[in-house]
Amino acid sequence: QARKEPEEPPAPIYLNIQELREEAAAAGSAPEEPGSSVSDWETHTDTDSGHLFYYNPVTGETTWDCPFGQAEDG
């Protein structure tokens, strides 16, 4: 049987969330290169249709077409 530990509140996961927000804001105000990188894209599900779409918070762009793997296409 597993030994039950004394009840303790869980440690916060995002200890450095404010620091991360500041870094993101600083990076957003001084873009290193024009355009967007693949890592900027987020995958979301459209609530009406249930289909996946892609959102880039850096540029504010949304698209139905997958931005991942564009470099691999011939």
Side-chain angles (χ1 to χ4, degrees), residues 16 18-28:
N16 61 346
Q18 185 60 39
E19 181 181 320
L20 290 174
R21 284 182 180 153
E22 291 169 3
E23 286 177 9

Side-chain angles (χ1 to χ4, degrees), residues 29-71:
S29 64
E32 294 176 8
E33 60 184 83
S36 62
S37 71
V38 173
S39 63
D40 292 335
W41 290 91
E42 300 174 353
T43 305
H44 296 276
T45 303
D46 180 50
T47 54
D48 294 332
S49 68
H51 291 99
L52 290 178
F53 69 95
Y54 304 91
Y55 170 67
N56 187 324
V58 175
T59 63
E61 184 181 359
T62 58
T63 181
W64 294 106
D65 300 320
C66 179
F68 310 114
Q70 287 180 341

